[in-house]
Amino acid sequence: MDNATFRDFGKAAIDFVADYMENIRDCDVLPSVKPGYLFDLLPPELPEKAENWQDILKDINRVIKPGITHWQSPNMHAYYPTACSFPSIVGDMISSGFSVIGFSWICSPACTELEVVVMDWLAKFLKLPQHFLHSSEGPGGGIIQGTASEAVLVAMLSAREQTVRRMKQTHPELSESDIRGKLVAYSSDQSNSCIERDALLAAVPIRLLSTGDDLVLTGDILEQAINEDIAKGFIPIICIATVGTTGTCAFDDLPSLGKVCNERGIWLHVDAAYAGAALALEEYKELRNGFELVDSLNFNLHKFLLVHFDCSAMWLKDANKVVDSFNVDRIYLKHKYEGQTQIPDFRHWQIPLGRRFRALKVWITLRTYGAEGLKAHIRKHITLAQRFEKYVLADPRFELITERTLGLVCFRPKGSNKYTTDLLNSLVERKKIYLIQATYRDKNFLRFVVCGMDPKPEDIDYAWREIRDQYSMLINEEKLLTLGKTDMGAIVKQLSTDIKISANKDKEKVK
């Protein structure tokens, strides 16, 4: 492919993406394919001769698009949002054109230095403590990791190695294997599954501590677990707190957790993958309480801040602890500017050696929207979730499980768990909107999250109509089964009446 052909292909690809985004509401959010669908549509071996880009682009429509779950659709309400924006896409495209591998400053100075700049921008935007800034006098700073999973693993491995070294000095009678065999980590039973998985990768047993009815991990709960383990001869190394749990977006009690960890010399990491962006809003300033006590934290720009996957921001109070844990230098990696205060070699701060120029898409996105635009985007998600919450509260057949948090509403049909599961199955079968369920106090509930690149109020209205109408169908089907020989015409007529009455009530409630 020469330069001229690349221009044609690239322009056609941009048009394809723009058309896709513009018409994404026309697509069912879930695909209709079955496992293995693609194997029958593609040849078993790569083509011998080159194919033209026009045919390849046609096949994206023919074989790839039918198998896509449309994460940028405003009808996607499962998991948490995966952010995207046109500036971010352009930034990634230019980054791919540069194709640098930025494991050290000399490999591409702009790659390292732009990351230092944007991580300080973000730290100030979120109003994090000064010691997390590269520009501060201390050894702290920020780095762009790929995912929250990577950030948590970096923290866990660093805490492990720092503890082993400290214990070898203070307890020379213990062998290294003895020390490693006694290590233990902590988190909440509400934390993301990646935390438990990272503990497996780090070869550190982790205790997922039970929380109270509020689903919040507190210092008292943690301290009790620590005392139990120390009495058994274990060595606590890290606690991973969560700001915005996966199930209900609960916030762990950072001030009390920080107090315990700081007194005990235990690393405190905060996973704020989704909710961390809300730190930028003054109306959520209470979320910042306790961050001055943490050793490291992460939040995903690819969840709430319009930068597409993968892009997880991580900050460290003392980056030297990570560098000391991961530093392996070879002569071919050295350069004469190594060790300068403001010039980190980020390969020492992460799991892989190589790294992409992610800072470019962050920089372009932040400049395109500005702080005001980013805050407005977060507030829009919150406002749309409030709109959905009002619909739930207005329908006596449904109940909220917890208070709405940011862009997440946790709700369920009243009654047995079967109603929730049947409703979810019906919604997934129709593929018009996508939700998932979770469990709270033995109750199954549905998680409705505002997602999509450009969600609008009418998308929330559409989702509620789909939920309401499908539930009306389900309960009327149940009535039919119960009544047995009851006249079908009367049932259908009553169902139609119920839906009309419900729709009118919704309109009045919204007004």
Side-chain angles (χ1 to χ4, degrees), residues 221 241 254 260 271-272 280 293 362 377 381 390 432 487 491 494:
I221 297 172
L254 294 188
V260 171
D271 176 22
L293 302 173
V362 177
H377 176 73
H381 277 232
K390 290 176 182 177
K432 301 302 180 184
D487 179 59
I491 294 276
Q494 183 61 48

Side-chain angles (χ1 to χ4, degrees), residues 350-383:
Q350 61 177 24
I351 303 301
L353 176 64
R355 58 198 330 270
R356 296 188 298 114
F357 195 177
R358 296 187 189 98
L360 192 61
K361 65 181 178 182
V362 177
W363 181 61
I364 292 174
T365 303
L366 297 185
R367 291 185 62 190
T368 302
Y369 286 92
E372 288 185 358
L374 296 173
K375 291 176 184 178
H377 176 73
I378 300 168
R379 290 188 175 114
K380 181 174 81 167
H381 277 232
I382 295 170
T383 300

Side-chain angles (χ1 to χ4, degrees), residues 104-106 108-109 112-114 116 134 335-349:
S104 69
W105 179 87
I106 200 66
S108 275
T112 296
E113 296 192 15
L114 187 61
V116 169
H134 287 279
H335 58 87
K336 66 179 181 179
Y337 299 104
E338 276 187 314
Q340 292 199 8
T341 306
Q342 298 300 322
I343 309 296
D345 276 343
F346 281 127
R347 71 178 184 275
H348 300 312
W349 296 39

Side-chain angles (χ1 to χ4, degrees), residues 303-314:
K303 276 195 171 67
F304 227 157
L305 275 197
L306 294 161
V307 180
H308 66 279
F309 189 85
D310 55 356
C311 192
S312 184
M314 181 184 188

Side-chain angles (χ1 to χ4, degrees), residues 47-52:
E48 281 293 326
K49 297 186 179 297
E51 300 182 55
N52 62 59

Side-chain angles (χ1 to χ4, degrees), residues 123-248:
K124 294 174 183 177
F125 175 68
L126 300 179
K127 296 179 174 58
L128 296 179
Q130 286 289 315
H131 55 243
F132 287 119
L133 274 66
H134 287 279
S135 55
S136 68
E137 293 184 1
I143 178 176
I144 301 174
Q145 306 283 7
T147 65
S149 304
E150 291 178 42
V152 172
L153 183 57
V154 166
M156 195 173 292
L157 291 173
S158 301
R160 184 190 72 185
E161 294 310 303
Q162 292 298 309
T163 303
V164 169
R165 294 180 186 187
R166 184 179 69 249
M167 292 298 294
K168 285 171 70 174
Q169 291 179 347
T170 57
H171 292 275
E173 74 279 5
L174 294 176
S175 68
E176 184 168 323
S177 61
D178 287 337
I179 295 171
R180 293 186 183 276
K182 296 176 181 292
L183 304 180
V184 63
Y186 305 94
S187 192
S188 160
D189 60 1
Q190 301 298 308
S191 61
N192 190 273
S193 62
C194 77
I195 292 171
E196 190 174 2
R197 183 173 181 271
D198 284 339
L200 291 173
L201 294 172
V204 176
I206 187 166
R207 287 187 61 181
L208 300 179
L209 306 176
S210 297
T211 56
D213 288 343
D214 58 3
L215 304 180
V216 172
L217 180 63
T218 66
D220 288 342
I221 297 172
L222 176 63
E223 187 159 40
Q224 180 179 343
I226 291 172
N227 289 336
E228 292 171 356
D229 286 337
I230 290 177
K232 296 175 184 177
F234 292 110
I235 304 170
I237 65 167
I238 189 171
C239 173
I240 300 98
T242 308
V243 171
T245 58
T246 302
T248 62

